[in-house]
Amino acid sequence: MSFKSPLEGIDEKFEMIQILNEDGEMVNEDAMPDLSDDDLVELMRRMVYTRVLDQRSIALNRQGRLGFYAPTAGQEASQLGSHFALEKEDFLLPAYRDVPQLIWHGLPLYQAFLFSRGHFHGNQMPEDLNAVSPQIIIGAQITQAAGVALGLKRRGKKNVAITYTGDGGASQGDFYEGMNFAGAYQAPAIFVVQNNQFAISVPVEKQSAAKTIAQKAAAVGVPGYLVDGMDVLAVYQVTKEARERAINGEGPTLIETMTYRYGPHTMAGDDPTRYRTDDMDDEWEKKDPLVRFRKYLEGKDLWSEDKENEVIEKAKEEIKAAIKKADGQDKQKVTDLISIMHDKLPYNLEEQMEEYKEKESK
Amino acid sequence: MAQMTMIQAITDALRTELKNDENVLVFGEDVGQNGGVFRATEGLQEEFGEERVFDTPLAESGIIGMSVGLSTQGFRAVPEIQFFGFVYEAMDAVSGQAARMRYRSGGRWHAPITIRSPFGGGVHTPELHADSLEGLMAQQPGLKVVIPSNPHDAKGLLISAIRDNDPVIFLEHMKLYRSFREEVPEEEYTEEIGKAKVKREGKDITLIAYGAMVHSALKAAEELEKEDIDAEVIDLRTVSPIDIETIVESVKKTNRAVVVQEAQRQAGIAASVVSEIQERAILHLEAPVLRVAAPDTVYPFSQAEEVWLPNYEDIVEKAKQSINF
């Protein structure tokens, strides 16, 4: 005889959650989030604003006016829907593509530009912003999120730690370690994997034999949800429920959002035509989170072309002002860097501080 | 005062800081119920509860990553890496994350983490349990690396490390855990991180060592005395940053130095000490500054350890080579 495979039937357990379909039609009325009309409009405003920010950032990067930049278009529903479910005091641990969540969590735009340029002031989260700067090492933020969450639990706070990574991040050891730690301590953490189908160029099917990333949570006893990452309402609602469970002491959640990045991996020379086809791009663009939500809101008379243009113009103005402010920032010095390495400078850095003060005074 | 072994002094320091500061958390593999594989945390979970002293899943990267996260909530994490050879599993969490917390946040966050870990050869441990990896840590900006050589310093330095607002790697040589007892004050006290200690005064040559090698250097000094060579012995106690002032002052007096480390010779702490000496005191030197170190191979677990590990005879030989230069 042969034993029945434990994987049999697993696919049905991880079916994709959707509330609005590609045409902006409500397909899951029961799951509709409890959001006011103002909230719905705000969600759309943020997505449009973020799309403009992405277009402007790419243009600024091409002009040599930004440094490191990872395009975000296509992922707005995943990024902003999940973020919209948070409270201000919740702690955010983003990956490098997750600058939009930081901005909507309270990072001033000019600092986001400074982050892109590698200026340390871009990493200095304002005092009322509970976040660390975007992580570069894939997955390192996930074990840290478990620690933040355990800390929140020990302090008796009704807040969560939320962290983001991509489909590639779900291959890292730290992904399992972080989820396993949070599960073992029933810590209030939310792990969001934005599955944009490619880890730079390697497709998700080549990363793992697992059909979904969501099911990876089951191995550590944590619930994992697969959600349509182009559907802002579905992403919002799944995150909202995860947050409620977390603050009620029911432990962490993994959320996999099925999404797509329209642009390259980063602006540092990645060419997606080497690993993606036009057909694939077209297919995903039909699922666009903005198109879908716009249709839905227009149907409810909550959105119009005028409104959208207003948001676009406002975004352009604010981006222009922020870039100007970033340009006005003093250049980072080696002495600045030395001064932030330690609480108290050791002798070697004290000596080097003198040396570089001298160099930089010339 | 009480007679304590180094392991008892370490437990005493942990107990002192768990009592002093409710933000101190002690955790790691087998650290809770079992009291640690060397019993460094013996009785602490019972005394302070599972919320303060606890077991973790078996994953070093997770342990240090979690410590970084806890820092943001105002905790002072004191994680244990069960044997320092296992730190390779956590290199990003240590060097890529904890050490860079101030830089990565422009000073908004810091990581007051003390990573305690047994290391060192001569106790017949399996592979990757004995390696001296302090050089790797010392090369990482943002970390301090402390290595006590005796119970008294272990307690005072560990208390300082836990109170330090930046990450400290605190390495405990396994051979010293129970090899001798000495008087250790029962009350709290600190020893300054970054300060070396002159363990024996002498005028002819300076022997610079840390960890278990301090005892080999002291034994070498006794041997040298029989031949009328009066050696000064310095215990570095902190290998990053190095107390260059104390070293240079001594070398200016003795005009000769031998730097001793248990680690492999290449790119180590001793190399760093030698270059600092020659940059700062070359005109005081009567001979090249020499090194005693292990060969540049991986650590040979249980076989050939006695020959591989530097010993007092090697130090005596190098000291004479310097004197006779």
Side-chain angles (χ1 to χ4, degrees), chain A residues 341-342, chain B residues 95 99-100 137-143:
Chain A
M341 284 305 298
H342 290 271
Chain B
S95 289
R100 302 166 71 98
M137 298 292 122
Q139 212 202 1
Q140 174 60 49
L143 294 180

Side-chain angles (χ1 to χ4, degrees), chain A residues 123-127 129 131 133-135 140 143-144 147-148 152 154-155 174 177 185 337 340 342-343 347 351, chain B residues 23 51 55-56 59 61-62 65-66 69 73-74 92 97 102-106 108-109 165-166 242 276 280:
Chain A
N123 290 334
Q124 278 173 326
M125 300 296 136
E127 274 302 313
L129 175 53
S133 57
Q135 183 57 247
T143 55
Q144 292 170 21
V148 174
L152 290 168
R154 290 277 195 272
R155 296 285 186 217
D174 275 354
E177 291 188 27
Y185 298 122
L337 185 57
I340 59 169
H342 290 271
D343 187 12
Y347 89 93
E351 288 180 0
Chain B
N23 295 313
E51 299 244 308
D55 290 317
T56 62
S61 183
M66 182 171 81
Q73 302 307 309
D92 175 62
Q97 307 297 325
R102 282 186 191 273
Y103 165 72
R104 292 201 79 248
S105 66
R108 161 83 196 274
W109 304 111
N165 284 331
D166 291 315
I242 293 163
E276 293 285 354
R280 291 161 200 264

Side-chain angles (χ1 to χ4, degrees), chain B residues 118-325:
Chain B
F119 84 110
V123 291
H124 309 292
T125 47
E127 191 181 6
L128 281 164
H129 284 58
D131 301 56
S132 291
L133 304 177
E134 65 276 9
L136 283 182
M137 298 292 122
Q139 212 202 1
Q140 174 60 49
L143 294 180
K144 297 188 184 82
V145 186
V146 174
I147 305 179
S149 70
N150 58 71
H152 181 278
D153 285 355
K155 179 174 173 180
L157 284 166
L158 183 52
I159 291 174
S160 291
I162 295 171
R163 293 181 186 176
D164 198 283
N165 284 331
D166 291 315
V168 177
I169 309 294
F170 191 88
L171 299 177
E172 304 161 3
H173 200 293
M174 283 183 272
K175 210 171 173 181
L176 301 178
Y177 268 157
R178 294 186 169 83
S179 60
F180 66 100
R181 289 170 189 273
E182 68 178 13
E183 290 290 328
V184 174
E186 278 164 271
E187 65 272 16
E188 63 173 78
Y189 62 94
T190 56
E191 290 289 333
E192 192 180 339
I193 292 175
K195 277 272 168 268
K197 199 173 196 172
V198 178
K199 299 290 285 185
R200 182 187 200 277
E201 289 196 25
K203 58 178 180 16
D204 297 332
I205 187 165
T206 304
L207 307 177
I208 301 154
Y210 56 92
M213 284 297 130
V214 171
H215 302 279
S216 303
L218 286 166
K219 194 165 176 199
E222 279 172 30
E223 290 298 311
L224 289 165
E225 197 178 353
K226 293 177 190 161
E227 301 185 36
D228 281 336
I229 299 168
D230 186 14
E232 178 144 307
V233 176
I234 293 177
D235 177 358
L236 283 179
R237 305 199 296 177
T238 302
V239 299
S240 177
I242 293 163
D243 180 1
I244 204 64
E245 219 177 291
T246 301
I247 296 169
V248 168
E249 198 183 317
S250 173
V251 172
K252 281 181 178 171
K253 178 176 73 176
T254 62
N255 313 115
R256 295 171 203 275
V258 172
V259 192
V260 187
Q261 67 180 19
E262 186 178 312
Q264 293 86 340
R265 185 178 164 96
Q266 65 189 8
I269 300 297
S272 198
V273 171
V274 172
S275 38
E276 293 285 354
I277 294 171
Q278 66 87 11
E279 278 188 28
R280 291 161 200 264
I282 195 157
L283 294 179
H284 294 268
L285 293 174
E286 297 286 350
V289 181
L290 301 173
R291 279 180 289 172
V292 174
D296 292 325
T297 70
V298 296
Y299 188 91
F301 81 99
S302 285
Q303 293 285 327
E305 263 182 317
E306 292 75 12
V307 182
W308 190 90
L309 285 167
N311 60 31
Y312 81 93
E313 287 164 328
D314 299 328
I315 303 170
V316 168
E317 195 188 315
K318 286 282 176 186
K320 285 185 187 167
Q321 203 180 314
S322 171
I323 297 283
N324 299 326
F325 180 77

Side-chain angles (χ1 to χ4, degrees), chain A residues 179-238:
Chain A
M179 277 200 305
N180 188 49
F181 272 64
Y185 298 122
Q186 287 294 288
I190 302 174
F191 304 99
V192 181
V193 174
Q194 297 177 74
N195 178 355
N196 66 15
Q197 316 304 319
F198 291 91
I200 304 189
S201 67
V202 181
V204 71
E205 315 85 71
K206 287 190 181 168
Q207 289 277 339
S208 177
K211 291 248 178 67
T212 66
I213 290 166
Q215 74 196 57
K216 293 187 177 189
V220 293
V222 167
Y225 293 83
L226 175 63
V227 56
D228 182 348
M230 308 303 258
D231 173 0
V232 74
L233 293 180
V235 175
Y236 169 83
Q237 187 57 21
V238 168

Side-chain angles (χ1 to χ4, degrees), chain A residues 29-240:
Chain A
E29 189 81 50
D30 293 344
M32 179 63 195
D34 182 20
L35 287 170
S36 68
D37 286 353
D38 284 352
D39 285 339
L40 294 172
V41 168
E42 175 62 11
L43 258 178
M44 186 63 190
R45 185 181 80 82
R46 289 185 183 189
M47 288 204 292
V48 171
Y49 193 111
T50 302
R51 182 69 59 91
V52 176
L53 175 62
D54 187 57
Q55 289 161 347
R56 290 298 305 140
S57 298
I58 289 169
L60 286 162
N61 179 283
R62 289 195 172 126
Q63 293 160 20
R65 298 182 68 196
L66 278 188
F68 171 75
Y69 183 71
T72 59
Q75 297 188 206
E76 292 89 348
S78 291
Q79 295 183 323
L80 306 178
S82 55
H83 178 263
F84 206 66
L86 304 179
E87 298 291 329
K88 176 72 185 164
E89 293 73 27
D90 291 339
F91 201 103
L92 177 60
L93 299 100
Y96 48 80
R97 204 180 305 283
D98 303 309
V99 174
Q101 294 97 303
L102 267 179
I103 291 169
W104 295 111
H105 213 48
L107 181 69
L109 204 45
Y110 84 98
Q111 282 188 270
F113 291 140
L114 288 173
F115 163 76
S116 169
R117 290 175 178 178
H119 193 294
F120 77 90
H121 182 47
N123 290 334
Q124 278 173 326
M125 300 296 136
E127 274 302 313
D128 66 340
L129 175 53
N130 291 329
V132 287
S133 57
Q135 183 57 247
I136 299 299
I137 299 300
I138 309 297
Q141 71 276 27
I142 303 173
T143 55
Q144 292 170 21
V148 174
L150 180 61
L152 290 168
K153 184 177 176 173
R154 290 277 195 272
R155 296 285 186 217
K157 289 192 179 156
K158 290 282 180 199
N159 287 107
V160 298
I162 186 165
T163 188
Y164 292 85
T165 189
D167 38 298
S171 294
Q172 284 281 7
D174 275 354
F175 172 72
Y176 297 95
E177 291 188 27
M179 277 200 305
N180 188 49
F181 272 64
Y185 298 122
Q186 287 294 288
I190 302 174
F191 304 99
V192 181
V193 174
Q194 297 177 74
N195 178 355
N196 66 15
Q197 316 304 319
F198 291 91
I200 304 189
S201 67
V202 181
V204 71
E205 315 85 71
K206 287 190 181 168
Q207 289 277 339
S208 177
K211 291 248 178 67
T212 66
I213 290 166
Q215 74 196 57
K216 293 187 177 189
V220 293
V222 167
Y225 293 83
L226 175 63
V227 56
D228 182 348
M230 308 303 258
D231 173 0
V232 74
L233 293 180
V235 175
Y236 169 83
Q237 187 57 21
V238 168
T239 315
K240 182 88 183 159

Side-chain angles (χ1 to χ4, degrees), chain A residues 331-344:
Chain A
K331 273 181 80 177
Q332 182 178 311
K333 295 178 176 170
V334 175
T335 45
D336 293 330
L337 185 57
I338 290 174
S339 71
I340 59 169
M341 284 305 298
H342 290 271
D343 187 12
K344 283 183 209 132

